[in-house]
PDB file of all heavy atoms in Angstrom:
ATOM      1  N   VAL S 375       7.065  10.806   7.640  1.00 97.00           N
ATOM      2  CA  VAL S 375       7.203   9.378   7.316  1.00 97.00           C
ATOM      3  C   VAL S 375       7.737   8.617   8.537  1.00 97.00           C
ATOM      4  O   VAL S 375       7.205   7.577   8.921  1.00 97.00           O
ATOM      5  CB  VAL S 375       8.113   9.146   6.086  1.00 97.00           C
ATOM      6  CG1 VAL S 375       8.551   7.686   5.976  1.00 97.00           C
ATOM      7  CG2 VAL S 375       7.386   9.560   4.802  1.00 97.00           C
ATOM      8  N   ARG S 376       8.738   9.167   9.165  1.00 96.00           N
ATOM      9  CA  ARG S 376       9.298   8.475  10.341  1.00 96.00           C
ATOM     10  C   ARG S 376       8.282   8.404  11.490  1.00 96.00           C
ATOM     11  O   ARG S 376       8.199   7.402  12.205  1.00 96.00           O
ATOM     12  CB  ARG S 376      10.596   9.151  10.798  1.00 96.00           C
ATOM     13  CG  ARG S 376      11.769   8.820   9.871  1.00 96.00           C
ATOM     14  CD  ARG S 376      13.084   9.312  10.451  1.00 96.00           C
ATOM     15  NE  ARG S 376      14.206   9.076   9.558  1.00 96.00           N
ATOM     16  CZ  ARG S 376      14.944   7.952   9.547  1.00 96.00           C
ATOM     17  NH1 ARG S 376      14.678   6.972  10.379  1.00 96.00           N
ATOM     18  NH2 ARG S 376      15.940   7.839   8.705  1.00 96.00           N
ATOM     19  N   GLN S 377       7.489   9.480  11.664  1.00 97.00           N
ATOM     20  CA  GLN S 377       6.482   9.474  12.725  1.00 97.00           C
ATOM     21  C   GLN S 377       5.394   8.439  12.433  1.00 97.00           C
ATOM     22  O   GLN S 377       4.934   7.735  13.338  1.00 97.00           O
ATOM     23  CB  GLN S 377       5.848  10.874  12.853  1.00 97.00           C
ATOM     24  CG  GLN S 377       6.831  11.899  13.434  1.00 97.00           C
ATOM     25  CD  GLN S 377       6.352  13.331  13.248  1.00 97.00           C
ATOM     26  OE1 GLN S 377       5.626  13.648  12.303  1.00 97.00           O
ATOM     27  NE2 GLN S 377       6.754  14.202  14.159  1.00 97.00           N
ATOM     28  N   ILE S 378       5.015   8.345  11.179  1.00 97.00           N
ATOM     29  CA  ILE S 378       3.979   7.384  10.774  1.00 97.00           C
ATOM     30  C   ILE S 378       4.476   5.954  11.017  1.00 97.00           C
ATOM     31  O   ILE S 378       3.785   5.121  11.596  1.00 97.00           O
ATOM     32  CB  ILE S 378       3.594   7.609   9.292  1.00 97.00           C
ATOM     33  CG1 ILE S 378       2.813   8.932   9.147  1.00 97.00           C
ATOM     34  CG2 ILE S 378       2.807   6.437   8.737  1.00 97.00           C
ATOM     35  CD1 ILE S 378       2.765   9.486   7.722  1.00 97.00           C
ATOM     36  N   VAL S 379       5.708   5.688  10.593  1.00 97.00           N
ATOM     37  CA  VAL S 379       6.268   4.348  10.750  1.00 97.00           C
ATOM     38  C   VAL S 379       6.358   3.969  12.232  1.00 97.00           C
ATOM     39  O   VAL S 379       6.042   2.838  12.627  1.00 97.00           O
ATOM     40  CB  VAL S 379       7.658   4.262  10.081  1.00 97.00           C
ATOM     41  CG1 VAL S 379       8.342   2.956  10.422  1.00 97.00           C
ATOM     42  CG2 VAL S 379       7.537   4.429   8.569  1.00 97.00           C
ATOM     43  N   LYS S 380       6.734   4.940  13.059  1.00 97.00           N
ATOM     44  CA  LYS S 380       6.856   4.683  14.491  1.00 97.00           C
ATOM     45  C   LYS S 380       5.495   4.294  15.082  1.00 97.00           C
ATOM     46  O   LYS S 380       5.403   3.411  15.932  1.00 97.00           O
ATOM     47  CB  LYS S 380       7.406   5.938  15.174  1.00 97.00           C
ATOM     48  CG  LYS S 380       7.979   5.684  16.519  1.00 97.00           C
ATOM     49  CD  LYS S 380       8.809   6.864  17.002  1.00 97.00           C
ATOM     50  CE  LYS S 380       9.004   6.742  18.498  1.00 97.00           C
ATOM     51  NZ  LYS S 380       9.013   8.030  19.178  1.00 97.00           N
ATOM     52  N   ALA S 381       4.442   4.957  14.605  1.00 97.00           N
ATOM     53  CA  ALA S 381       3.098   4.692  15.138  1.00 97.00           C
ATOM     54  C   ALA S 381       2.612   3.289  14.778  1.00 97.00           C
ATOM     55  O   ALA S 381       1.783   2.713  15.476  1.00 97.00           O
ATOM     56  CB  ALA S 381       2.120   5.734  14.605  1.00 97.00           C
ATOM     57  N   ILE S 382       3.128   2.737  13.689  1.00 97.00           N
ATOM     58  CA  ILE S 382       2.664   1.408  13.259  1.00 97.00           C
ATOM     59  C   ILE S 382       3.219   0.323  14.168  1.00 97.00           C
ATOM     60  O   ILE S 382       2.548  -0.665  14.446  1.00 97.00           O
ATOM     61  CB  ILE S 382       3.066   1.141  11.788  1.00 97.00           C
ATOM     62  CG1 ILE S 382       2.341   2.129  10.876  1.00 97.00           C
ATOM     63  CG2 ILE S 382       2.746  -0.294  11.382  1.00 97.00           C
ATOM     64  CD1 ILE S 382       2.714   2.001   9.416  1.00 97.00           C
ATOM     65  N   GLY S 383       4.433   0.494  14.642  1.00 92.00           N
ATOM     66  CA  GLY S 383       5.047  -0.548  15.467  1.00 92.00           C
ATOM     67  C   GLY S 383       5.822  -1.523  14.595  1.00 92.00           C
ATOM     68  O   GLY S 383       5.867  -1.383  13.372  1.00 92.00           O
ATOM     69  N   THR S 384       6.411  -2.527  15.216  1.00 93.00           N
ATOM     70  CA  THR S 384       7.365  -3.371  14.492  1.00 93.00           C
ATOM     71  C   THR S 384       6.754  -4.662  13.953  1.00 93.00           C
ATOM     72  O   THR S 384       7.374  -5.360  13.157  1.00 93.00           O
ATOM     73  CB  THR S 384       8.554  -3.727  15.395  1.00 93.00           C
ATOM     74  OG1 THR S 384       8.034  -4.232  16.619  1.00 93.00           O
ATOM     75  CG2 THR S 384       9.423  -2.517  15.674  1.00 93.00           C
ATOM     76  N   GLU S 385       5.535  -4.996  14.374  1.00 95.00           N
ATOM     77  CA  GLU S 385       4.885  -6.228  13.893  1.00 95.00           C
ATOM     78  C   GLU S 385       4.245  -5.979  12.530  1.00 95.00           C
ATOM     79  O   GLU S 385       3.041  -6.101  12.374  1.00 95.00           O
ATOM     80  CB  GLU S 385       3.811  -6.680  14.887  1.00 95.00           C
ATOM     81  CG  GLU S 385       4.364  -7.197  16.190  1.00 95.00           C
ATOM     82  CD  GLU S 385       5.125  -8.509  16.014  1.00 95.00           C
ATOM     83  OE1 GLU S 385       4.559  -9.444  15.437  1.00 95.00           O
ATOM     84  OE2 GLU S 385       6.292  -8.561  16.422  1.00 95.00           O
ATOM     85  N   ARG S 386       5.038  -5.602  11.554  1.00 97.00           N
ATOM     86  CA  ARG S 386       4.494  -5.262  10.244  1.00 97.00           C
ATOM     87  C   ARG S 386       5.403  -5.833   9.170  1.00 97.00           C
ATOM     88  O   ARG S 386       6.562  -6.141   9.439  1.00 97.00           O
ATOM     89  CB  ARG S 386       4.429  -3.731  10.087  1.00 97.00           C
ATOM     90  CG  ARG S 386       5.817  -3.102  10.187  1.00 97.00           C
ATOM     91  CD  ARG S 386       5.917  -1.663   9.722  1.00 97.00           C
ATOM     92  NE  ARG S 386       7.303  -1.346   9.420  1.00 97.00           N
ATOM     93  CZ  ARG S 386       8.141  -0.744  10.259  1.00 97.00           C
ATOM     94  NH1 ARG S 386       7.732  -0.341  11.439  1.00 97.00           N
ATOM     95  NH2 ARG S 386       9.403  -0.541   9.899  1.00 97.00           N
ATOM     96  N   GLN S 387       4.859  -5.921   7.968  1.00 98.00           N
ATOM     97  CA  GLN S 387       5.674  -6.244   6.801  1.00 98.00           C
ATOM     98  C   GLN S 387       5.838  -4.960   6.006  1.00 98.00           C
ATOM     99  O   GLN S 387       4.851  -4.283   5.716  1.00 98.00           O
ATOM    100  CB  GLN S 387       4.985  -7.322   5.963  1.00 98.00           C
ATOM    101  CG  GLN S 387       5.845  -7.784   4.806  1.00 98.00           C
ATOM    102  CD  GLN S 387       5.176  -8.866   3.981  1.00 98.00           C
ATOM    103  OE1 GLN S 387       4.025  -9.242   4.227  1.00 98.00           O
ATOM    104  NE2 GLN S 387       5.891  -9.370   2.997  1.00 98.00           N
ATOM    105  N   THR S 388       7.085  -4.634   5.671  1.00 98.00           N
ATOM    106  CA  THR S 388       7.361  -3.351   5.025  1.00 98.00           C
ATOM    107  C   THR S 388       7.909  -3.566   3.624  1.00 98.00           C
ATOM    108  O   THR S 388       8.783  -4.404   3.409  1.00 98.00           O
ATOM    109  CB  THR S 388       8.397  -2.553   5.858  1.00 98.00           C
ATOM    110  OG1 THR S 388       7.935  -2.508   7.209  1.00 98.00           O
ATOM    111  CG2 THR S 388       8.546  -1.134   5.323  1.00 98.00           C
ATOM    112  N   MET S 389       7.392  -2.771   2.688  1.00 98.00           N
ATOM    113  CA  MET S 389       7.858  -2.812   1.301  1.00 98.00           C
ATOM    114  C   MET S 389       8.189  -1.401   0.875  1.00 98.00           C
ATOM    115  O   MET S 389       7.389  -0.497   1.055  1.00 98.00           O
ATOM    116  CB  MET S 389       6.761  -3.373   0.390  1.00 98.00           C
ATOM    117  CG  MET S 389       6.495  -4.840   0.601  1.00 98.00           C
ATOM    118  SD  MET S 389       4.758  -5.236   0.339  1.00 98.00           S
ATOM    119  CE  MET S 389       4.168  -5.174   2.019  1.00 98.00           C
ATOM    120  N   MET S 390       9.385  -1.229   0.327  1.00 98.00           N
ATOM    121  CA  MET S 390       9.795   0.088  -0.140  1.00 98.00           C
ATOM    122  C   MET S 390      10.099   0.010  -1.618  1.00 98.00           C
ATOM    123  O   MET S 390      10.760  -0.930  -2.063  1.00 98.00           O
ATOM    124  CB  MET S 390      11.072   0.493   0.594  1.00 98.00           C
ATOM    125  CG  MET S 390      10.913   1.666   1.521  1.00 98.00           C
ATOM    126  SD  MET S 390      12.446   1.947   2.415  1.00 98.00           S
ATOM    127  CE  MET S 390      13.189   3.178   1.371  1.00 98.00           C
ATOM    128  N   PHE S 391       9.642   1.007  -2.357  1.00 98.00           N
ATOM    129  CA  PHE S 391       9.952   1.084  -3.785  1.00 98.00           C
ATOM    130  C   PHE S 391      10.524   2.452  -4.087  1.00 98.00           C
ATOM    131  O   PHE S 391      10.060   3.454  -3.547  1.00 98.00           O
ATOM    132  CB  PHE S 391       8.697   0.816  -4.635  1.00 98.00           C
ATOM    133  CG  PHE S 391       8.251  -0.601  -4.532  1.00 98.00           C
ATOM    134  CD1 PHE S 391       7.446  -1.007  -3.478  1.00 98.00           C
ATOM    135  CD2 PHE S 391       8.678  -1.544  -5.445  1.00 98.00           C
ATOM    136  CE1 PHE S 391       7.074  -2.332  -3.339  1.00 98.00           C
ATOM    137  CE2 PHE S 391       8.307  -2.874  -5.319  1.00 98.00           C
ATOM    138  CZ  PHE S 391       7.507  -3.264  -4.272  1.00 98.00           C
ATOM    139  N   SER S 392      11.554   2.474  -4.934  1.00 97.00           N
ATOM    140  CA  SER S 392      12.216   3.720  -5.250  1.00 97.00           C
ATOM    141  C   SER S 392      12.843   3.581  -6.633  1.00 97.00           C
ATOM    142  O   SER S 392      13.255   2.489  -7.025  1.00 97.00           O
ATOM    143  CB  SER S 392      13.305   3.986  -4.193  1.00 97.00           C
ATOM    144  OG  SER S 392      14.041   5.133  -4.526  1.00 97.00           O
ATOM    145  N   ALA S 393      12.894   4.700  -7.369  1.00 96.00           N
ATOM    146  CA  ALA S 393      13.522   4.648  -8.696  1.00 96.00           C
ATOM    147  C   ALA S 393      15.039   4.598  -8.570  1.00 96.00           C
ATOM    148  O   ALA S 393      15.723   4.098  -9.459  1.00 96.00           O
ATOM    149  CB  ALA S 393      13.098   5.855  -9.525  1.00 96.00           C
ATOM    150  N   THR S 394      15.554   5.126  -7.464  1.00 94.00           N
ATOM    151  CA  THR S 394      17.002   5.149  -7.269  1.00 94.00           C
ATOM    152  C   THR S 394      17.324   4.645  -5.865  1.00 94.00           C
ATOM    153  O   THR S 394      16.458   4.611  -4.999  1.00 94.00           O
ATOM    154  CB  THR S 394      17.558   6.587  -7.343  1.00 94.00           C
ATOM    155  OG1 THR S 394      17.099   7.307  -6.192  1.00 94.00           O
ATOM    156  CG2 THR S 394      17.125   7.293  -8.610  1.00 94.00           C
ATOM    157  N   MET S 395      18.590   4.278  -5.684  1.00 93.00           N
ATOM    158  CA  MET S 395      19.047   3.872  -4.351  1.00 93.00           C
ATOM    159  C   MET S 395      20.004   4.956  -3.842  1.00 93.00           C
ATOM    160  O   MET S 395      21.164   4.680  -3.504  1.00 93.00           O
ATOM    161  CB  MET S 395      19.715   2.491  -4.446  1.00 93.00           C
ATOM    162  CG  MET S 395      19.908   1.805  -3.134  1.00 93.00           C
ATOM    163  SD  MET S 395      18.353   1.507  -2.271  1.00 93.00           S
ATOM    164  CE  MET S 395      18.892   0.356  -1.042  1.00 93.00           C
ATOM    165  N   ALA S 396      19.552   6.206  -3.827  1.00 94.00           N
ATOM    166  CA  ALA S 396      20.355   7.315  -3.299  1.00 94.00           C
ATOM    167  C   ALA S 396      20.698   7.021  -1.837  1.00 94.00           C
ATOM    168  O   ALA S 396      19.990   6.247  -1.186  1.00 94.00           O
ATOM    169  CB  ALA S 396      19.558   8.612  -3.410  1.00 94.00           C
ATOM    170  N   PRO S 397      21.780   7.618  -1.308  1.00 95.00           N
ATOM    171  CA  PRO S 397      22.186   7.319   0.078  1.00 95.00           C
ATOM    172  C   PRO S 397      21.063   7.528   1.094  1.00 95.00           C
ATOM    173  O   PRO S 397      20.922   6.735   2.027  1.00 95.00           O
ATOM    174  CB  PRO S 397      23.334   8.304   0.325  1.00 95.00           C
ATOM    175  CG  PRO S 397      23.890   8.620  -1.028  1.00 95.00           C
ATOM    176  CD  PRO S 397      22.734   8.519  -1.991  1.00 95.00           C
ATOM    177  N   GLU S 398      20.228   8.571   0.885  1.00 94.00           N
ATOM    178  CA  GLU S 398      19.141   8.818   1.849  1.00 94.00           C
ATOM    179  C   GLU S 398      18.107   7.701   1.803  1.00 94.00           C
ATOM    180  O   GLU S 398      17.511   7.348   2.822  1.00 94.00           O
ATOM    181  CB  GLU S 398      18.420  10.141   1.555  1.00 94.00           C
ATOM    182  CG  GLU S 398      19.307  11.368   1.386  1.00 94.00           C
ATOM    183  CD  GLU S 398      19.940  11.426   0.006  1.00 94.00           C
ATOM    184  OE1 GLU S 398      19.180  11.458  -0.979  1.00 94.00           O
ATOM    185  OE2 GLU S 398      21.182  11.418  -0.098  1.00 94.00           O
TER     186      GLU S 398
END
Side-chain angles (χ1 to χ4, degrees):
V375 165
R376 285 189 183 271
Q377 290 166 332
I378 289 162
V379 171
K380 199 166 163 215
I382 295 177
T384 51
E385 290 292 307
R386 61 166 200 263
Q387 185 179 4
T388 308
M389 290 147 264
M390 246 175 95
F391 291 84
S392 175
T394 69
M395 195 60 166
E398 309 79 59

